[in-house]
Amino acid sequence: MDKKLQGYIDKLNKLNFKEMYNGDFFLTWEKTDDELEAVFTVAEALRYMRENNISTKVFESGLGISLFRDNSTRTRFSFASACNLLGLEVQDLDETKSQIAHGETVRETANMISFMADVIGIRDDMYIGKGNKYMHEVVDSVTQGNKDGVLEQKPTLVNLQCDIDHPTQCMADMLHIINTFGGVENLKGKKVAMTWAYSPSYGKPLSVPQGVVGLMTRFGMDVVLAHPEGYDIMPEVEEVAKKNAAENGGSFTKTNSMAEAFKDADIVYPKSWAPFAAMEKRTDLYAEGDQAGIDALEKELLAQNAEHKDWCCTEELMSTTKDGKALYLHCLPADINGVSCKDGEVEASVFDRYRDPLYKEASYKPYIIAAMILLAKQKDITGTLEALADKATPRHFGE
Amino acid sequence: MDKKLQGYIDKLNKLNFKEMYNGDFFLTWEKTDDELEAVFTVAEALRYMRENNISTKVFESGLGISLFRDNSTRTRFSFASACNLLGLEVQDLDETKSQIAHGETVRETANMISFMADVIGIRDDMYIGKGNKYMHEVVDSVTQGNKDGVLEQKPTLVNLQCDIDHPTQCMADMLHIINTFGGVENLKGKKVAMTWAYSPSYGKPLSVPQGVVGLMTRFGMDVVLAHPEGYDIMPEVEEVAKKNAAENGGSFTKTNSMAEAFKDADIVYPKSWAPFAAMEKRTDLYAEGDQAGIDALEKELLAQNAEHKDWCCTEELMSTTKDGKALYLHCLPADINGVSCKDGEVEASVFDRYRDPLYKEASYKPYIIAAMILLAKQKDITGTLEALADKATPRHFGE
Amino acid sequence: MDKKLQGYIDKLNKLNFKEMYNGDFFLTWEKTDDELEAVFTVAEALRYMRENNISTKVFESGLGISLFRDNSTRTRFSFASACNLLGLEVQDLDETKSQIAHGETVRETANMISFMADVIGIRDDMYIGKGNKYMHEVVDSVTQGNKDGVLEQKPTLVNLQCDIDHPTQCMADMLHIINTFGGVENLKGKKVAMTWAYSPSYGKPLSVPQGVVGLMTRFGMDVVLAHPEGYDIMPEVEEVAKKNAAENGGSFTKTNSMAEAFKDADIVYPKSWAPFAAMEKRTDLYAEGDQAGIDALEKELLAQNAEHKDWCCTEELMSTTKDGKALYLHCLPADINGVSCKDGEVEASVFDRYRDPLYKEASYKPYIIAAMILLAKQKDITGTLEALADKATPRHFGE
């Protein structure tokens, strides 16, 4: 057995993640520390095996269903890559092609598409109070379907972004941080600035800032959430962050000053999002079908937004971070000054300097997703990894 | 060899289905009893193998082409599941993405997409006199292409619903009946009510009622077709049903009373459809491009429809069936009173009680489709099943 | 080892194509004669293996990304077939589903979709000066991404049609010619007429005529480019053709007479295209967003077009070719008189007579694409082919 791979297996053997088997992945704060570490470890093992041309195909057949309520290139390709790496074929449930909008209940559709599905990936982040709830409905439906003998297997759900959390993104971000700082053990006391930034566009989801403060407060870091007045995130997620900080020896604080957040920060994550209260209002307006109300709200939010063009990740601000070299993070695509818009979230020279690390950050996502799937589907994951390493079927034959 | 699997193989060895090799599946009444039993048996064998984690992947590569002229979630996923189970990758021929609508002949397109296609699944149920004809054109084209050396293999066609029959649906319904009643031998004398039911929507296809009376009259059952006056199905399919009943010792009768049909029925299949004559007229109007005529027809049909809101599968009607417990069938999605519409095909409490059996009914479809493909593509299907069982490659490795 | 397969391997062993490893395929004239012959030879070997039920799946997992800026059935299915034949799963980058149009840079998107991509196929033929340039941007991006450690592998690019060349089409056309005439050695002195033909539609790409004169001038043939005045192709491609002819002992000439081009021709390729200068103008108008200008240009071009309805491949013209039996080529779909339009590129009786050869011509494309991929991805391609032949895994098990 290869030493590095053995290391991952040894680490897994010390963790308790048996509750993940046959489970689902909704929110990072519903998982134990051991479970999160298992995801990171399996993700690293899968990456290592692929880099060493060892096939990790555990499924000879089976479908990975993707359901996107919002357009997406990155997440779509990450999910497709993860499924493909394990041997699952992606089948999109395209709501324009399907009859889902025509009065079908969630329960029925969830079962009808799952006869041969091993995983369902859902992105549903548009309406506060809806996305996560919808995912639970789907999981409840297929769990019941499996119990009733309708489905031979219960597909595992991977939350590809909901109204509350964006776990595959934040876990990829976090694995990038861990590798950049040389291990979890080096993160205690590091300062993370999750800050709002200006973007000319309207209504970006809250799931990234919420996911970040909900996850990064678990590693003993000092997490600062910064935004202009009125741009609050969901209060229940702030509670999660506070509790995490209290339990893990770091801190969770808030400020209305971007400069204060950046000061001496080791990691910065400047990104636009919409105010929680406004998004809640929008959700209600949609439910009422009040288009005039929606248009008025959009106008109001854009005006409010425009007052905060100074919330930009500039070279000047970057120079105030730890040694002027904080790790800059973004879920991409970023709104870059003079590139994708006139005024945006970040100055072009800052973004350019971090382009490679940003792409590496993104490159973890397919492995994080694949790890979440494997941990839910393999009863004996270390046995599986050992067997795959023994077989050593080349992913690319002849190379 | 596992005993259950051996049982399926023994049964296949007694049947004559050699004409299915290199053939296609258009209409159930074009197949012999042995051929239909072969489809049921292979479907059961495939399901059993999948449930026991034995891979049934016979193709290392190859495409399954899907061509849907109408939106569809269920059939789309059933076809994708069947292809995936056998090792074929689905490639959709999306007419909006393709140039098929721009003056290409069927023959040319059929060949161009089939260079590496092992199966073509088509759903084309919208216009009377068109769908089945189109499928034959496609099959003739690829048969010729194969003969001329253009195509290395002749893809097999699976009719995923045409204007005449819906064989994958009705075969799945039938397998559900067989399993519910404990075998084909228990069906003689059972009463089946294929009845029209009210739905607020317009122009549902005739292929399900036609497919049902064309298939279920072959099992010695008493099949009753019930609908309001004017809602006749295609006369040639009624002839098929009569002939079947005469040959198989059951009966085929018609009535304009839903109550009469339900009385003492063992199986009920209440479902909306459009009158055959009206659909024929619509097809002509479309051909003439007469939109005003189409609109007028729709209005007329909806008014005619509205007179029959009493055609609903109520608890009261259900209580008149055999022991008040007839097996309720539907191809889904159903129009449920107070759920998907105000007045519909079935009362919510009836539908709810049969939800599990309905989902099981649907769960046979991927296996029926896979069986149709295998019977057309494998020269020695029992040899193939034995070899797969011997290899016993796990579908899901490590489970 | 099978003799025929050994023959292909022996031929490959005599060729120098080592520069193709880790490379890309943009334009045929950027490749050496040996490299082109390697593509033909590998394509033939793959076809032979598939015909003999030998799997050529070299990838256990991996994605083939397709990016089509224009609708396409044939090329889409050819690319999907090629990827599937090698074990890669196609993932479409659909610009309507993705965020590519919303200010993302090419570099970022190219990396984000390529974490597990082994090949990227692009069709971008609409705007002169854009398509080929865009492909280079993509390749530069993923090459850099691979160098920077973001991507584990550099996906190879296959040009599925750009503004300059249509290499997969023209290579398929060429392999069809080679096989029809019994080998490259029989082509010297053959006359090829690449001629414009009338079509009622507007703005067909120049890539086919350009690709044809750029490729076919390399085989010692006499290539004639014929078109009405004003329908010139890109001057730089004419230079390529001239140079090729000079180096390979054939000729490249131009004429404004279809009759002159057809006279004694061994091969004719009559096809509509838009004038280069007009396409350049259109590209500028699009860049300026000048819709009125575009409409005016279209009107002007259609009027100009209509003056040349006599440019049609008639029986009369065909009778003037060598023995009245020139090989008729077309990339399909053709505009056929009285079939797909009133007046078009070819008379129906001519087209019908060549239907089978035309379909065979098209059938080479998936193998040409697969060969391009393999030559870029396999370090030791003869070793790979030998190992695949030794393993002899059936493509279709049980046949």
Side-chain angles (χ1 to χ4, degrees):
Chain A
M1 171 68 62
D2 174 287
K3 252 189 174 170
K4 194 136 188 189
L5 205 49
Q6 190 60 56
Y8 296 127
I9 290 171
D10 291 347
K11 190 187 270 187
L12 286 170
N13 279 330
K14 284 179 207 138
L15 300 171
N16 176 8
F17 50 85
K18 60 177 191 290
E19 295 296 317
M20 296 185 90
Y21 180 62
N22 264 332
D24 303 281
F25 209 109
F26 293 102
L27 307 172
T28 62
W29 46 92
E30 293 167 349
K31 301 290 174 191
T32 67
D33 291 348
D34 270 18
E35 289 170 349
L36 296 188
E37 199 171 342
V39 173
F40 292 137
T41 310
V42 173
E44 295 270 47
L46 289 173
R47 182 169 199 138
Y48 181 79
M49 289 168 86
R50 193 181 195 280
E51 284 171 353
N52 287 278
N53 202 26
I54 299 171
S55 172
T56 54
K57 196 169 159 181
V58 297
F59 295 99
E60 274 285 295
S61 69
L63 300 181
I65 312 294
S66 74
L67 203 167
F68 285 75
R69 294 264 171 118
D70 198 4
N71 285 337
S72 165
T73 305
R74 293 133 206 298
T75 304
R76 183 179 292 277
F77 272 79
S78 288
F79 182 68
S81 298
C83 286
N84 175 266
L85 184 69
L86 302 177
L88 298 172
E89 189 181 345
V90 171
Q91 188 69 16
D92 292 329
L93 178 58
D94 183 340
E95 299 193 35
T96 60
K97 277 189 204 157
S98 84
Q99 302 170 337
I100 204 178
H102 299 69
E104 286 185 18
T105 64
V106 171
R107 182 171 170 191
E108 193 168 305
T109 302
N111 274 279
M112 293 303 117
I113 62 176
S114 296
F115 296 131
M116 296 193 188
D118 288 291
V119 55
I120 303 177
I122 302 182
R123 179 175 172 183
D124 187 348
D125 59 348
M126 295 293 280
Y127 304 114
I128 288 290
K130 303 282 183 193
N132 193 264
K133 200 173 281 181
Y134 173 75
M135 291 179 196
H136 272 282
E137 267 187 271
V138 169
V139 166
D140 291 347
S141 302
V142 295
T143 302
Q144 192 60 42
N146 180 238
K147 208 170 286 177
D148 294 342
V150 171
L151 304 180
E152 286 152 20
Q153 71 293 320
K154 186 199 84 73
T156 183
L157 179 122
V158 177
N159 172 0
L160 296 174
Q161 188 168 6
C162 71
D163 51 324
I164 305 177
D165 194 5
H166 194 342
T168 61
Q169 179 64 48
C170 298
M171 295 282 285
D173 298 339
M174 196 61 219
L175 188 48
H176 177 54
I177 291 174
I178 293 171
N179 285 336
T180 303
F181 286 85
V184 175
E185 58 277 15
N186 299 325
L187 299 182
K188 286 228 176 289
K190 292 284 179 292
K191 180 178 177 185
V192 181
M194 177 73 238
T195 103
W196 191 87
Y198 171 77
S199 154
S201 78
Y202 152 76
K204 295 209 174 177
L206 292 143
S207 50
V208 168
Q210 291 175 167
V212 165
V213 304
L215 176 64
M216 298 197 185
T217 44
R218 296 176 75 164
F219 296 85
M221 301 196 283
D222 295 316
V223 178
V224 183
L225 177 67
H227 56 73
E229 258 184 272
Y231 282 83
D232 296 274
I233 62 171
M234 293 172 84
E236 48 269 55
V237 180
E238 290 194 6
E239 289 310 311
V240 167
K242 276 182 213 163
K243 192 169 152 282
N244 285 343
E247 286 174 3
N248 291 284
S251 64
F252 174 65
T253 52
K254 289 174 64 181
T255 171
N256 291 140
S257 155
M258 196 172 186
E260 193 184 311
F262 266 59
K263 180 90 184 100
D264 293 324
D266 297 278
I267 297 158
V268 295
Y269 206 139
K271 201 209 159 296
S272 171
W273 67 80
F276 165 60
M279 288 302 94
E280 223 175 8
K281 198 170 159 192
R282 184 175 71 162
T283 299
D284 295 341
L285 291 167
Y286 266 103
E288 293 157 21
D290 180 355
Q291 191 57 47
I294 292 164
D295 293 346
L297 178 65
E298 179 171 350
K299 217 172 148 184
E300 186 190 304
L301 284 175
L302 287 172
Q304 181 189 5
N305 237 9
E307 286 170 29
H308 304 295
K309 290 195 182 172
D310 53 324
W311 284 70
C312 177
C313 179
T314 59
E315 289 287 7
E316 205 186 320
L317 267 177
M318 283 303 288
S319 72
T320 68
T321 65
K322 175 68 73 56
D323 303 329
K325 294 197 286 196
L327 179 65
Y328 166 82
L329 299 182
H330 199 284
C331 55
L332 302 179
D335 287 313
I336 308 164
N337 294 8
V339 176
S340 46
C341 54
K342 190 166 163 288
D343 301 299
E345 299 168 314
V346 59
E347 280 185 1
S349 64
V350 174
F351 187 85
D352 276 348
R353 194 160 66 247
Y354 287 92
R355 193 180 290 273
D356 266 9
L358 283 165
Y359 290 1
K360 276 179 200 158
E361 179 187 354
S363 74
Y364 289 109
K365 210 195 269 181
Y367 295 104
I368 290 287
I369 297 172
M372 289 173 178
I373 298 172
L374 265 198
L375 281 157
K377 301 300 287 185
Q378 302 301 113
K379 199 166 192 170
D380 172 18
I381 201 160
T382 54
T384 294
L385 293 175
E386 277 165 4
L388 290 171
D390 282 347
K391 281 208 298 181
T393 307
R395 178 194 80 85
H396 179 185
F397 175 77
E399 276 310 273
Chain B
M1 171 70 62
D2 174 286
K3 253 189 173 170
K4 193 136 188 189
L5 204 49
Q6 190 60 55
Y8 296 126
I9 290 170
D10 292 346
K11 190 188 268 187
L12 286 170
N13 280 330
K14 285 179 204 138
L15 300 171
N16 176 8
F17 51 84
K18 58 179 193 291
E19 295 296 316
M20 295 185 90
Y21 180 62
N22 264 332
D24 302 281
F25 209 109
F26 293 102
L27 307 172
T28 61
W29 46 91
E30 293 167 347
K31 300 292 175 190
T32 67
D33 291 349
D34 271 18
E35 289 169 350
L36 295 189
E37 200 172 340
V39 173
F40 291 136
T41 311
V42 172
E44 296 271 46
L46 290 173
R47 181 169 202 140
Y48 182 78
M49 289 167 86
R50 193 180 195 279
E51 283 171 354
N52 287 279
N53 203 24
I54 300 170
S55 171
T56 54
K57 195 168 158 182
V58 298
F59 294 100
E60 275 284 295
S61 68
L63 300 181
I65 312 294
S66 74
L67 201 166
F68 286 74
R69 294 264 172 118
D70 198 3
N71 285 337
S72 168
T73 306
R74 293 132 205 297
T75 304
R76 183 179 291 277
F77 272 79
S78 288
F79 182 70
S81 298
C83 287
N84 176 265
L85 185 69
L86 303 177
L88 298 172
E89 188 181 345
V90 171
Q91 187 69 16
D92 292 328
L93 177 60
D94 183 341
E95 298 194 36
T96 60
K97 277 189 203 160
S98 83
Q99 302 170 338
I100 204 178
H102 299 70
E104 285 185 18
T105 64
V106 171
R107 183 172 170 188
E108 193 168 306
T109 303
N111 274 279
M112 293 303 117
I113 63 176
S114 297
F115 296 131
M116 295 192 189
D118 288 291
V119 54
I120 303 178
I122 303 183
R123 178 174 172 185
D124 186 348
D125 60 348
M126 296 294 279
Y127 304 114
I128 288 290
K130 304 283 183 192
N132 192 265
K133 200 172 279 180
Y134 173 74
M135 291 179 195
H136 272 282
E137 268 187 271
V138 169
V139 166
D140 291 348
S141 302
V142 295
T143 303
Q144 192 60 43
N146 179 238
K147 208 171 284 177
D148 294 343
V150 170
L151 304 180
E152 285 153 22
Q153 72 294 319
K154 185 198 87 70
T156 183
L157 179 122
V158 176
N159 172 0
L160 296 173
Q161 189 168 6
C162 72
D163 51 324
I164 305 177
D165 194 5
H166 193 343
T168 61
Q169 179 65 48
C170 298
M171 296 281 286
D173 298 338
M174 197 62 220
L175 188 48
H176 177 55
I177 291 174
I178 293 171
N179 285 336
T180 303
F181 287 85
V184 175
E185 58 277 15
N186 300 325
L187 299 181
K188 286 229 175 289
K190 292 284 181 289
K191 181 178 176 185
V192 181
M194 176 74 238
T195 103
W196 191 87
Y198 172 78
S199 154
S201 78
Y202 153 76
K204 294 209 174 174
L206 292 144
S207 50
V208 168
Q210 292 175 166
V212 165
V213 304
L215 176 64
M216 298 198 184
T217 44
R218 295 176 75 164
F219 296 85
M221 300 197 282
D222 296 315
V223 177
V224 183
L225 177 66
H227 57 72
E229 258 185 88
Y231 283 82
D232 296 273
I233 62 169
M234 293 172 85
E236 47 270 53
V237 180
E238 291 195 6
E239 290 309 311
V240 167
K242 278 182 213 164
K243 193 170 152 282
N244 284 343
E247 287 173 2
N248 291 283
S251 64
F252 173 65
T253 52
K254 291 173 64 181
T255 172
N256 291 141
S257 156
M258 197 174 185
E260 194 183 312
F262 265 61
K263 179 89 184 101
D264 293 325
D266 297 278
I267 298 157
V268 295
Y269 206 137
K271 200 208 161 296
S272 171
W273 68 79
F276 165 59
M279 288 301 95
E280 222 175 9
K281 198 172 159 191
R282 183 176 71 164
T283 301
D284 294 341
L285 292 168
Y286 266 104
E288 293 157 20
D290 181 355
Q291 190 56 47
I294 293 164
D295 295 345
L297 178 66
E298 179 171 350
K299 217 170 148 185
E300 187 190 304
L301 285 175
L302 285 174
Q304 182 189 3
N305 238 10
E307 287 170 30
H308 305 295
K309 289 194 181 169
D310 53 324
W311 284 69
C312 177
C313 180
T314 59
E315 289 287 6
E316 204 186 321
L317 267 177
M318 283 303 287
S319 72
T320 69
T321 65
K322 175 66 77 51
D323 302 329
K325 296 197 285 197
L327 180 64
Y328 167 81
L329 301 181
H330 200 284
C331 54
L332 302 179
D335 287 314
I336 307 165
N337 295 8
V339 177
S340 46
C341 53
K342 189 164 163 290
D343 300 300
E345 299 168 313
V346 60
E347 280 184 3
S349 64
V350 175
F351 188 86
D352 275 348
R353 195 161 64 248
Y354 288 92
R355 194 182 290 275
D356 266 10
L358 284 165
Y359 291 1
K360 276 181 200 158
E361 178 187 355
S363 74
Y364 290 109
K365 210 195 269 183
Y367 295 103
I368 292 287
I369 297 171
M372 289 173 177
I373 298 172
L374 266 198
L375 282 157
K377 302 301 287 185
Q378 302 301 111
K379 200 168 193 169
D380 171 19
I381 200 161
T382 55
T384 294
L385 293 175
E386 278 165 3
L388 290 171
D390 283 347
K391 282 207 297 181
T393 307
R395 179 196 79 85
H396 178 186
F397 176 78
E399 276 311 274
Chain C
M1 171 68 62
D2 174 286
K3 251 187 173 170
K4 194 137 187 189
L5 204 50
Q6 190 60 57
Y8 296 127
I9 290 171
D10 291 346
K11 191 188 268 186
L12 287 170
N13 279 329
K14 284 179 205 138
L15 300 171
N16 176 8
F17 50 83
K18 58 178 192 293
E19 295 297 317
M20 295 184 90
Y21 181 61
N22 265 331
D24 303 281
F25 209 109
F26 293 102
L27 307 172
T28 62
W29 47 91
E30 293 168 347
K31 300 293 175 189
T32 67
D33 291 348
D34 270 18
E35 289 170 349
L36 295 189
E37 200 172 341
V39 174
F40 292 136
T41 309
V42 172
E44 295 271 46
L46 289 173
R47 181 169 201 139
Y48 181 79
M49 289 168 86
R50 193 180 194 280
E51 284 171 355
N52 287 279
N53 202 25
I54 299 169
S55 171
T56 54
K57 196 167 157 182
V58 298
F59 295 99
E60 275 284 297
S61 69
L63 300 181
I65 313 293
S66 73
L67 201 168
F68 285 74
R69 295 264 172 118
D70 197 3
N71 284 338
S72 165
T73 305
R74 293 132 205 298
T75 303
R76 184 178 290 277
F77 272 79
S78 289
F79 182 69
S81 298
C83 286
N84 176 266
L85 184 69
L86 303 177
L88 298 171
E89 189 181 345
V90 171
Q91 187 68 18
D92 292 328
L93 177 59
D94 184 341
E95 298 193 36
T96 60
K97 279 189 204 159
S98 84
Q99 302 170 337
I100 203 178
H102 299 69
E104 286 184 19
T105 64
V106 171
R107 182 171 169 189
E108 194 168 304
T109 302
N111 273 279
M112 293 304 117
I113 63 175
S114 297
F115 296 131
M116 295 194 189
D118 287 291
V119 54
I120 302 177
I122 302 181
R123 178 174 171 184
D124 186 347
D125 59 347
M126 296 293 280
Y127 305 113
I128 288 290
K130 303 282 182 192
N132 192 265
K133 200 172 280 180
Y134 173 74
M135 292 178 195
H136 272 282
E137 267 186 271
V138 169
V139 166
D140 291 347
S141 302
V142 295
T143 303
Q144 191 61 43
N146 178 237
K147 208 171 285 177
D148 294 343
V150 170
L151 305 178
E152 285 153 21
Q153 71 295 318
K154 186 198 85 71
T156 182
L157 179 122
V158 176
N159 172 0
L160 296 174
Q161 187 169 6
C162 71
D163 51 324
I164 305 176
D165 194 5
H166 194 342
T168 61
Q169 178 64 48
C170 298
M171 294 282 285
D173 298 339
M174 196 62 219
L175 188 48
H176 178 55
I177 292 174
I178 293 171
N179 285 336
T180 303
F181 286 85
V184 176
E185 59 277 14
N186 299 325
L187 299 181
K188 286 228 176 291
K190 293 283 179 290
K191 179 178 177 185
V192 181
M194 176 73 238
T195 102
W196 192 87
Y198 171 77
S199 154
S201 78
Y202 153 77
K204 296 208 174 174
L206 293 143
S207 48
V208 169
Q210 290 174 168
V212 165
V213 304
L215 177 63
M216 298 198 184
T217 44
R218 295 175 75 163
F219 295 85
M221 300 197 283
D222 295 315
V223 177
V224 183
L225 177 67
H227 56 73
E229 259 185 88
Y231 282 82
D232 297 274
I233 63 170
M234 293 172 84
E236 48 269 54
V237 180
E238 291 194 6
E239 289 309 311
V240 168
K242 277 182 211 163
K243 192 168 152 282
N244 284 343
E247 285 174 1
N248 291 284
S251 64
F252 174 65
T253 53
K254 290 174 64 181
T255 171
N256 291 141
S257 156
M258 196 173 186
E260 193 184 313
F262 266 60
K263 179 89 185 102
D264 293 325
D266 297 278
I267 298 156
V268 296
Y269 206 139
K271 201 211 159 293
S272 171
W273 68 80
F276 165 59
M279 288 301 94
E280 224 176 6
K281 198 172 160 191
R282 183 176 71 163
T283 300
D284 294 342
L285 291 167
Y286 266 104
E288 293 158 19
D290 180 355
Q291 191 56 46
I294 292 164
D295 294 345
L297 178 66
E298 179 171 351
K299 217 171 149 185
E300 185 190 303
L301 283 175
L302 286 173
Q304 181 189 5
N305 237 10
E307 286 169 29
H308 304 295
K309 290 195 182 170
D310 53 324
W311 284 70
C312 177
C313 179
T314 59
E315 289 287 7
E316 204 186 322
L317 267 179
M318 282 303 288
S319 72
T320 69
T321 65
K322 175 67 75 53
D323 303 329
K325 297 197 286 197
L327 179 65
Y328 166 81
L329 300 181
H330 199 285
C331 53
L332 304 179
D335 287 313
I336 307 165
N337 294 9
V339 177
S340 46
C341 53
K342 189 166 164 286
D343 300 300
E345 299 169 313
V346 59
E347 280 184 2
S349 64
V350 174
F351 187 85
D352 276 347
R353 197 162 62 248
Y354 287 92
R355 193 181 290 274
D356 266 9
L358 283 166
Y359 290 1
K360 276 180 198 157
E361 178 186 354
S363 75
Y364 289 110
K365 209 195 269 182
Y367 295 103
I368 290 288
I369 296 172
M372 288 173 177
I373 298 172
L374 266 198
L375 282 157
K377 301 300 287 185
Q378 302 301 113
K379 200 167 192 170
D380 171 18
I381 201 162
T382 56
T384 294
L385 293 175
E386 277 165 3
L388 290 171
D390 282 348
K391 283 207 297 180
T393 307
R395 178 194 80 85
H396 178 186
F397 175 78
E399 278 308 274

